[in-house]
Amino acid sequence: MGVASDAIYFAFHPSQLGVLVKWKLRHVPFHKRNETQESATAKICFEFLHQTGRSMSPIIKQLHPELRLPVCVFYLILRGLDTIEDDTSIPLVIKEPLLRSFKDHLDQDGWTFTGNRPEEKDRALLVQFDNIITEFRKLKPAYQAIMKYITDKMGNGMADFARKATLGDVSVDSVEEYDLYCWHVAGCVGEGMTRLFVEAEMGEISLINHSLYRSMGLHLQNNNVIRDLREDFDDGRRFWPREIWSKHVDNFEDLFEPKYLRNALNCSSEMVLNGLKYTCDCLSYLAALREQSVFNFCAIPQTMALATLELCFRNPAIFERSVKIAKGEALQLMVESSQDLEGVVKIFCRYVRRIQQKNDPEDPNFLRINVACEEIERFAETLVLKSVKLAKKKTEGKEHQAGSNSGQVIATLAVASIFVLGVLWLMAHRSLL
């Protein structure tokens, strides 16, 4: 947010100004970035992070020092990949091999790409991509391996969809195909981040074993696809699966016709219902994180995604434009999400209740939506209770261990004292003889 736009916004929304003040006064980063210790190329990376990911930049910059630069570099690598995939001016004969081989360029000193159209918003990142490669090659080998592995998976997935779109099929047929698209775009990112967290010992190994990262990524991408319906349609792209929209309208274009508004709203509510199926896994994922800055990094986007889903639910505006939650509400979510699991659970429950309140009895999915919301609330409340019990058990275990250690120390001192007294007695006895 620019200073001028902020001033204008809060002038018309004075009630939300208090949230901004609260955030500025109360929010103290767990880990402050020290720019004096950064290389010139690292500073360039953080500058590109600010330019290409304004919402993620502050959260990434407050990560634990062990992960701050690796996550920044990883974000920029995937942003570069996405910038190639998004540019419709790049012919398939260039785009496809470039996406599939993008990981190999990470080992190529000085590599850059100047083939984006001039108006592509993140073109400069690829023009100066050699700076990102320089910092990438300084990272730990384990981190590099994770990033290359995910870049390869994501690049090939994007290439598959780019080929399909070029051949004239710009739609998604089944929910399974839709999930696969969301996986390649966002799920892979979740897997990569998770592997970094676990490698840095800031998350439990169960995060990988149970593939909870998949739900984290798909929850975020479902939100994006629902929110950006109109924008994608105007660009000639259709990501809502035919399996869902064909239940409500005959043609995809009918979703934007006022006379089919009720059908369109029912269709959008089924899309939200499809997105809600990942919510419980997201909470389980957050419960397995072991470092506060990493928790914040993961929790804030998830709460904002759910808030956006609630905003989109049965909202006619999504057929006219992309909708966004208010700046003040976003700030409030950042404040509440930067605490603990219980705080995030309260947010999740608040928004699913709002979805229930807006649920239309005449919607064909009315009952399914209510059941889904109730299941999320029950799961969330149970998860908090388990977390509280686990924390209490760990505290009692530490206290027991401390007590046990104290007892061992006392016993050791007692034995040592008896031994010393015995030696002194023998020495005194011999001197008398």
Side-chain angles (χ1 to χ4, degrees):
M1 289 188 286
V3 175
S5 62
D6 282 358
I8 295 172
Y9 175 82
F10 287 111
F12 286 95
H13 302 83
S15 61
Q16 296 182 9
L17 183 60
V19 181
L20 175 63
V21 174
K22 183 189 295 185
W23 172 256
K24 295 292 186 182
L25 292 177
R26 293 186 181 181
H27 180 69
V28 179
F30 279 85
H31 308 286
K32 292 185 178 180
R33 177 183 165 212
N34 187 350
E35 296 184 48
T36 62
Q37 297 180 356
E38 295 173 354
S39 66
T41 47
K43 290 178 181 177
I44 292 174
C45 286
F46 281 113
E47 180 57 33
F48 271 120
L49 175 67
H50 176 70
Q51 293 174 15
T52 61
R54 288 182 179 273
S55 61
M56 292 301 298
S57 178
I59 311 172
I60 292 175
K61 288 176 181 176
Q62 293 176 20
L63 277 171
H64 190 283
E66 173 66 21
L67 286 172
R68 184 186 298 124
L69 185 56
V71 170
C72 172
V73 170
F74 189 33
Y75 179 90
L76 294 175
I77 289 171
L78 299 184
R79 174 63 73 175
L81 191 66
D82 190 55
T83 301
I84 293 171
E85 192 266 342
D86 272 348
D87 192 341
T88 55
S89 72
I90 302 176
L92 183 66
V93 67
I94 295 175
K95 178 182 288 189
E96 183 177 3
L98 187 55
L99 290 172
R100 296 193 191 281
S101 66
F102 197 81
K103 73 174 192 309
D104 299 324
H105 295 302
L106 300 178
D107 292 324
Q108 187 179 341
D109 285 330
W111 183 85
T112 60
F113 180 71
T114 57
N116 286 108
R117 55 190 171 189
E119 62 270 24
E120 194 66 32
K121 65 184 182 70
D122 293 329
R123 182 179 187 276
L125 171 63
L126 287 167
V127 171
Q128 300 183 51
F129 203 74
D130 53 323
N131 295 292
I132 286 78
I133 292 174
T134 297
E135 288 303 317
F136 168 79
R137 301 194 66 181
K138 293 179 185 178
L139 299 176
K140 292 179 178 179
Y143 293 165
Q144 290 186 36
I146 291 169
M147 294 179 195
K148 289 185 70 176
Y149 168 71
I150 296 301
T151 301
D152 185 40
K153 289 179 70 172
M154 193 168 176
N156 278 294
M158 287 179 167
D160 292 341
F161 276 94
R163 167 167 283 279
K164 180 182 176 184
T166 303
L167 295 175
D169 189 355
V170 293
S171 62
V172 176
D173 288 326
S174 66
V175 172
E176 182 181 1
E177 186 182 0
Y178 172 64
D179 287 346
L180 182 62
Y181 164 76
C182 291
W183 162 252
H184 284 306
V185 174
C188 286
V189 182
E191 179 183 0
M193 291 298 181
T194 302
R195 291 185 181 278
L196 289 177
F197 299 154
V198 173
E199 180 66 31
E201 298 183 350
M202 296 182 192
E204 294 180 1
I205 191 67
S206 62
L207 292 177
I208 293 177
N209 292 345
H210 295 166
S211 298
L212 295 176
Y213 55 75
R214 180 180 182 275
S215 292
M216 291 283 282
L218 267 60
H219 186 243
L220 294 178
Q221 188 59 21
N222 267 269
N223 158 68
N224 295 338
V225 170
I226 295 170
R227 179 197 64 197
D228 296 336
L229 169 68
R230 183 73 211 202
E231 182 180 310
D232 288 330
F233 178 69
D234 290 342
D235 287 341
R237 296 180 291 187
R238 306 175 183 180
F239 294 117
W240 286 27
R242 182 188 300 272
E243 183 179 335
I244 289 180
W245 64 256
S246 63
K247 298 176 188 176
H248 306 277
V249 291
D250 294 329
N251 302 296
F252 189 78
E253 293 80 2
D254 293 342
L255 292 173
F256 307 94
E257 293 291 336
K259 61 182 178 180
Y260 296 119
L261 179 59
R262 175 167 289 278
N263 301 66
L265 289 174
N266 291 342
C267 180
S268 69
S269 70
E270 186 167 353
M271 286 294 296
V272 170
L273 173 63
N274 182 67
L276 289 175
K277 67 187 179 186
Y278 304 111
T279 306
C280 294
D281 276 353
C282 292
L283 289 173
S284 294
Y285 183 101
L286 295 174
L289 296 173
R290 292 293 170 261
E291 203 279 329
Q292 186 64 47
S293 68
V294 171
F295 178 87
N296 296 350
F297 173 82
C298 296
I300 291 173
Q302 294 296 337
T303 55
M304 288 191 177
L306 185 57
T308 304
L309 278 181
E310 184 272 326
L311 177 63
C312 292
F313 185 72
R314 303 199 68 81
N315 184 351
I318 67 171
F319 302 104
E320 301 171 1
R321 65 183 187 280
S322 292
V323 298
K324 293 182 179 180
I325 57 176
K327 293 178 181 179
E329 185 176 3
L331 282 169
Q332 182 64 42
L333 287 170
M334 291 176 71
V335 172
E336 295 180 53
S337 304
S338 303
Q339 305 300 321
D340 52 27
L341 182 65
E342 187 174 358
V344 172
V345 161
K346 289 179 180 177
I347 296 171
F348 272 49
C349 290
R350 181 166 74 234
Y351 283 101
V352 295
R353 286 173 195 144
R354 290 183 185 178
I355 288 174
Q356 278 187 292
Q357 289 169 2
K358 294 196 293 184
N359 199 11
D360 186 348
E362 296 184 10
D363 188 325
N365 288 295
F366 175 76
L367 290 177
R368 292 178 62 205
I369 292 168
N370 270 349
V371 169
C373 290
E374 289 168 2
E375 286 179 351
I376 292 169
E377 279 206 71
R378 282 197 300 270
F379 180 85
E381 291 168 357
T382 302
L383 187 65
V384 168
L385 290 174
K386 286 182 179 178
S387 297
V388 170
K389 288 180 180 178
L390 181 61
K392 185 178 179 181
K393 188 174 181 180
K394 287 183 177 180
T395 302
E396 290 174 348
K398 289 179 181 178
E399 291 174 352
H400 176 74
Q401 183 64 36
S404 177
N405 290 342
S406 298
Q408 291 176 5
V409 170
I410 293 171
T412 301
L413 289 174
V415 172
S417 299
I418 293 170
F419 177 76
V420 170
L421 289 172
V423 170
L424 291 174
W425 182 85
L426 287 173
M427 290 174 64
H429 183 67
R430 285 181 180 177
S431 63
L432 289 173
L433 293 175

